[in-house]
Amino acid sequence: FGSRAQGAAAPPRARQSDRQGRGQASKGAMGRVIRGSRKGKSLIFTAKTRLRKGAVKLRPVDFAERSGFIKGLVRKIIHDPGRGAPMCEVVFHDPYRYKLKKERWIAVEGLHTGQFVYCGSKAQLSVGNVMPLGKMPEGTVISMCEEKASDRGRLARASGCNCMVVGHSDDGKKTRIRLPSGSRKTVPSTCRAVVGIAAGGGRMDKPVLKAGNNFHKYRVKRNCW
């Protein structure tokens, strides 16, 4: 009788509780959600955009820029929250209608309010002007450079960054530039750029010293610290 009691099967309720215990143990042993997946799930990781002034872009390419130049006035130099480089607001006369058009792009070192800047293929090579890369001599220091023609500026937009024109192809269709990282890139010669170094350089030279400074830095950017 004793041997039969030892070999008897456990009651159904005991088997069910044993399965639940094993399931909980296996769940606890699984890996954690990776950081990229967590950022996609919650709204606390989205960027803080309420006080931002807007995207930085060069003028859209039009007939005036392709065939000559157009004059603009630097109305303001403004701070954009979460962006290290200052932003300039340039006002142009609309070539086709009686109105003014505002454009915002990264300010370069030496740019000031009240300054006239010229955009186009026949603009002069001076700080603040926007020109195609094919019209610039080798060794020109530029910022806010286009990666593809008419994309309105993609490269060297952070504070203190700059590209340099390294050379032009024999047919004049391609230009070789040196990026802020030091690598070289070949882009079409019709890509435009601002002459000069992006302002706000040396921002990282000052030591952070305490966590509160990083807290305030990333508070206006996004939850990534």
Side-chain angles (χ1 to χ4, degrees):
F1 179 78
S3 62
R4 283 180 59 195
Q6 287 176 358
R13 185 173 296 175
R15 285 201 301 270
Q16 186 178 359
S17 62
D18 188 35
R19 270 201 303 269
Q20 287 176 351
R22 281 204 304 271
Q24 288 173 358
S26 63
K27 280 183 183 177
M30 288 176 65
R32 62 191 300 169
V33 180
I34 62 172
R35 188 181 301 169
S37 298
R38 280 194 287 126
K39 288 188 176 183
K41 182 177 181 182
S42 174
L43 287 177
I44 66 169
F45 294 105
T46 53
K48 316 289 181 64
T49 59
R50 183 175 63 91
L51 295 174
R52 296 197 182 171
K53 304 297 186 291
V56 287
K57 294 180 181 179
L58 300 175
R59 285 186 78 246
V61 180
D62 57 0
F63 178 78
E65 285 209 29
R66 282 194 301 268
S67 60
F69 63 87
I70 186 168
K71 183 171 81 169
L73 174 67
V74 180
R75 188 69 68 79
K76 292 189 243 183
I77 292 180
I78 49 182
H79 167 67
D80 190 25
R83 188 189 296 276
M87 184 191 293
C88 65
E89 186 178 282
V90 187
V91 179
F92 295 91
H93 280 287
D94 192 299
Y96 306 108
R97 294 174 186 81
Y98 179 69
K99 64 177 182 179
L100 296 175
K101 281 200 161 184
K102 288 184 199 171
E103 302 292 341
R104 287 180 298 269
W105 61 72
I106 297 297
V108 294
E109 290 183 6
L111 196 73
H112 58 84
T113 55
Q115 179 178 339
F116 289 116
V117 294
Y118 299 88
C119 303
S121 59
K122 295 187 178 176
Q124 288 185 344
L125 187 72
S126 61
V127 171
N129 288 357
V130 181
M131 300 171 58
L133 296 178
K135 301 289 183 180
M136 298 180 187
E138 296 175 5
T140 306
V141 175
I142 55 175
S143 59
M144 197 77 191
C145 182
E146 291 182 334
E147 194 171 11
K148 301 180 178 65
S150 307
D151 69 6
R152 302 178 72 178
R154 291 289 181 271
L155 307 172
R157 294 154 44 119
S159 57
C161 288
N162 66 282
C163 295
M164 182 180 284
V165 178
V166 176
H168 303 286
S169 62
D170 294 334
D171 58 0
K173 292 184 178 179
K174 298 283 184 183
T175 299
R176 190 93 168 149
I177 60 173
R178 193 188 70 208
L179 300 178
S181 63
S183 59
R184 309 290 176 98
K185 186 177 179 68
T186 303
V187 295
S189 296
T190 52
C191 291
R192 302 167 298 161
V194 183
V195 180
I197 302 173
R203 180 170 52 87
M204 302 299 290
D205 295 345
K206 183 179 177 182
V208 176
L209 290 180
K210 59 180 187 176
N213 290 338
N214 261 339
F215 169 79
H216 290 295
K217 174 184 174 181
Y218 287 104
R219 188 169 60 93
V220 292
K221 289 176 181 281
R222 69 202 77 79
N223 183 6
C224 64
W225 169 73

